[in-house]
Amino acid sequence: MTTSATDPTEIAFLRQQPVKMLIGGQWVPAASGKTFATINPATGTVLAQVAEGESEDINRAVAAARKAFESGPWPKLTPSQRGRLLWRLAELVEQHTTELAELETLDNGKPIKYSRAADVPLTADHFRYFAGWATKLEGETIPVSIPNMFTYTLREPVGVVGQIIPWNFPLQMASWKLAPALACGNTVVLKPAEQTPLSALRLGELICEAGFPEGVVNIVPGFGETAGAALAAHPDVDKIAFTGSTEVGKKILQASAGNLKRVTLELGGKSPNIIFPDADLKYAVRGALTAIFFNQGQVCTAGSRLFVHKSVYDQVLSGLSDAAQKMKMGPGLDPATDLGPLVSQEQLERVTGYIEAGKQEGAVAITGGKRAGSDLANGYFVEPTVFDKVEDEMTIAREEIFGPVVAALPFESVEEVAARANRSIYGLAAGVWTNDVKQAHKMAALLKSGVVWVNTYNQFDAAAPFGGYKQSGYGREMGHAVLDAYTQIKTVWVNLR
Ligand code: NDP
């Protein structure tokens, strides 16, 4: 493990400037020679210059991934050997916990206590979980009704996979994408988000160190409109896996039509978190707090619509508001920080724009409601904000804000709250707080979302499928459900006559 650094210059990875991209096992500059700056959101200062990939770099990366998929050592590795590589990568991630956590916190802004205790260990867990799947990709024998036929299926990799990831959990998103793709024998071109390319590129170094053959994983940092769009449209890419906004998800789908790529999309959300009066309110308030403020609210599953039964509404709101005010806002590297900055100036403007829209439409911010000032004024900090007097039709109750802003909404009956919770273009996640087991299961059945958490929130595990209903996307990540996305089934008929 590296020692703890408080100054970015103490991190060896950041001393190489500019940071290069990984293509065909080599660390190379962009074909154009261009670079872009990645910013420390706690201070607004430049952390590093990074090679700016564009379509020519994507072409080179896809060619390297194709070559690695068709020839060389990768397709000849046994499943056990593939699994061992993933396991080795998990070990390397764990060995570099401190360094990776600091890079993640510097680039994204998130509190170091979470990078260290959640982002990095869960990344390692993900690689380890999928290491196990490499040896369990079984076909089936099919009892067909045609005499003398022996019919079976093979589960084969899809080919060259393009993966486009966002900035809210950069390292974890890289693992969610890479681990199943590699376990299934595909090769990859990964494009990290322009705001947070560093941890994925450092992971690329660990991938090389783990011994993955060259070209199996290629990492091309750059902008969505250039590098991302080129990857989504590339005729030699067989599949795209995307996490990000619903708006860009639709563009990816259109771009993929040229060669009918397989597409999986994990998109936005406006998740309802519902507190019934019989819930243990102490835990429900704490759950509501972390549901919205974890990762500064920049979570696709953020519990941003807080439905509270009318009889306990005032009590819950006052508890939530008190707890929000006690959260310590500050630079992510400070171990005491609960709430870091938003990721970028753009996200700061987006979130404060939503706060203003809420106020203009008549909602009342009983806590927060503005950008943080004084010693945090140079960073992109927004106070944890709780809105009261919200109507379902207001912008802040309908659109994904992706910031530390919750809209509180009172309700009276089960049927009413289920209908209102489901009245959204999204359907990613939902929370239910109740001690009535029948009510819990009833709500789980009624809610139109890919995940329902009961008396808990934001639980993720490599073994549990995750993905959206409606415009929150399609396809599932994690668990064995994701294997369908990274394999294709071949049916073999053998005439035994
Ligand atoms: P985007 O959807 O724009 O970004 C996600 C990824 O897609 C990034 O790597 C981005 O590149 C890339 N991208 C952007 N445009 C294209 C394109 N035309 N073709 C291919 N790839 C592209 O999200 P934003 O960062 O703009 O955030 C906007 C909103 O999206 C947030 O406020 C939030 O509501 C939602 N969001 C949802 C996430 C989720 O987890 N579901 C995660 C992030 C955002 P680049 O590097 O240039 O950004």
Side-chain angles (χ1 to χ4, degrees):
M1 268 189 204
T2 53
T3 54
S4 179
T6 47
D7 177 350
T9 57
E10 288 176 36
I11 298 181
F13 183 69
L14 291 181
R15 283 191 219 120
Q16 47 152 341
Q17 296 276 339
V19 181
K20 298 193 176 85
M21 59 181 80
L22 176 62
I23 297 181
Q26 306 297 317
W27 290 93
V28 295
S32 67
K34 284 201 251 178
T35 62
F36 67 98
T38 185
I39 306 289
N40 179 348
T43 57
T45 54
V46 174
L47 264 177
Q49 290 291 331
V50 180
E52 183 185 329
E54 293 177 320
S55 62
E56 201 178 327
D57 305 289
I58 291 292
N59 288 343
R60 287 192 295 163
V62 172
R66 174 59 61 194
K67 190 170 165 211
F69 182 73
E70 304 291 352
S71 56
W74 181 245
K76 297 192 194 83
L77 291 187
T78 64
S80 169
Q81 287 170 322
R82 282 206 311 275
R84 278 164 193 257
L85 286 173
L86 283 162
W87 193 275
R88 175 79 188 120
L89 180 58
E91 287 175 338
L92 286 170
V93 167
E94 269 175 356
Q95 283 164 20
H96 293 84
T97 296
T98 301
E99 179 197 357
L100 287 167
E102 285 172 355
L103 264 184
E104 196 76 325
T105 286
L106 281 166
D107 213 10
N108 168 279
K110 63 178 67 198
I112 189 77
K113 63 181 170 194
Y114 298 125
S115 315
R116 200 173 272 152
D119 294 76
V120 180
L122 289 174
T123 297
D125 265 6
H126 218 80
F127 286 119
R128 197 167 279 129
Y129 173 82
F130 281 99
W133 270 113
T135 48
K136 296 163 194 71
L137 300 168
E138 297 170 349
E140 295 171 322
T141 52
I142 316 288
V144 296
S145 300
I146 303 172
N148 299 312
M149 291 294 162
F150 171 48
T151 306
Y152 61 92
T153 60
L154 297 171
R155 211 174 244 276
E156 298 186 334
V158 170
V160 173
V161 176
Q163 304 186 320
I164 300 173
I165 57 172
W167 42 259
N168 52 344
F169 295 91
L171 195 59
Q172 278 196 75
M173 288 299 113
S175 70
W176 285 23
K177 296 283 180 280
L178 288 168
L182 298 173
C184 295
N186 300 280
T187 59
V188 176
V189 177
L190 177 79
K191 192 205 85 67
E194 80 199 41
Q195 299 86 347
T196 55
L198 297 178
S199 56
L201 289 164
R202 180 69 182 104
L203 182 69
E205 291 187 340
L206 299 180
I207 287 168
C208 297
E209 193 178 332
F212 282 86
E214 62 182 40
V216 171
V217 176
N218 306 274
I219 304 178
V220 181
F223 296 97
E225 297 75 15
T226 49
L231 188 57
H234 201 291
D236 203 26
V237 170
D238 300 299
K239 174 191 160 54
I240 288 279
F242 172 77
T243 298
S245 62
T246 294
E247 185 192 346
V248 172
K250 290 177 185 177
K251 287 188 191 167
I252 301 265
L253 200 54
Q254 283 165 356
S256 69
N259 66 335
L260 291 180
K261 290 178 187 67
R262 286 155 183 74
V263 179
T264 43
L265 302 170
E266 199 268 273
L267 307 175
K270 189 73 188 174
S271 298
N273 191 18
I274 304 166
I275 301 181
F276 285 95
D278 66 345
D280 187 330
L281 292 185
K282 190 175 102 191
Y283 292 107
V285 168
R286 201 183 296 162
L289 185 85
T290 58
I292 185 61
F293 298 129
F294 174 61
N295 214 41
Q296 297 67 245
Q298 302 167 131
V299 185
C300 49
T301 55
S304 53
R305 287 187 294 155
L306 179 64
F307 289 98
V308 187
H309 193 270
K310 212 172 155 189
S311 62
V312 291
Y313 183 82
D314 290 342
Q315 189 185 344
V316 167
L317 236 62
S318 120
L320 178 63
S321 176
D322 286 351
Q325 283 167 31
K326 286 190 190 124
M327 292 181 86
K328 185 174 178 334
M329 216 182 340
L333 280 183
D334 180 345
T337 291
D338 299 314
L339 202 76
L342 299 183
V343 74
S344 64
Q345 175 73 31
E346 190 186 354
Q347 200 60 17
L348 173 76
E349 285 165 14
R350 187 192 302 263
V351 171
T352 49
Y354 273 117
I355 290 174
E356 286 317 307
K359 290 176 182 169
Q360 274 168 24
E361 290 175 30
V364 177
I366 56 167
T367 298
K370 59 179 189 314
R371 181 179 185 176
S374 59
D375 55 330
L376 299 179
N378 289 334
Y380 311 133
F381 294 89
V382 171
E383 294 178 351
T385 300
V386 180
F387 268 114
D388 188 12
K389 310 284 180 226
V390 183
E391 303 289 335
D392 291 1
E393 296 69 32
M394 287 181 184
T395 309
I396 57 166
R398 286 185 295 107
E399 297 186 12
E400 182 174 53
I401 299 175
F402 229 62
V405 182
V406 63
L409 300 146
F411 73 90
E412 290 185 58
S413 76
V414 174
E415 289 70 24
E416 171 214 334
V417 76
R420 288 170 65 197
N422 286 335
R423 212 175 295 137
S424 169
I425 62 164
Y426 298 114
L428 192 55
V432 177
W433 298 83
T434 178
N435 278 330
D436 177 343
V437 72
K438 286 192 220 156
Q439 186 156 258
H441 288 293
K442 185 173 181 188
M443 286 302 295
L446 285 173
L447 289 165
K448 294 189 167 77
S449 64
V451 185
V452 178
W453 288 296
V454 179
N455 295 333
T456 187
Y457 207 91
N458 272 341
Q459 299 288 352
F460 294 90
D461 187 284
F466 176 72
Y469 280 24
K470 300 192 264 181
Q471 291 191 40
S472 291
Y474 47 69
R476 291 291 176 269
E477 303 201 271
M478 304 199 266
H480 58 79
V482 73
L483 304 175
D484 288 338
Y486 288 103
T487 54
Q488 50 195 346
I489 288 175
K490 178 183 281 174
T491 308
V492 181
W493 294 75
V494 183
N495 187 348
L496 298 179
R497 192 187 311 237

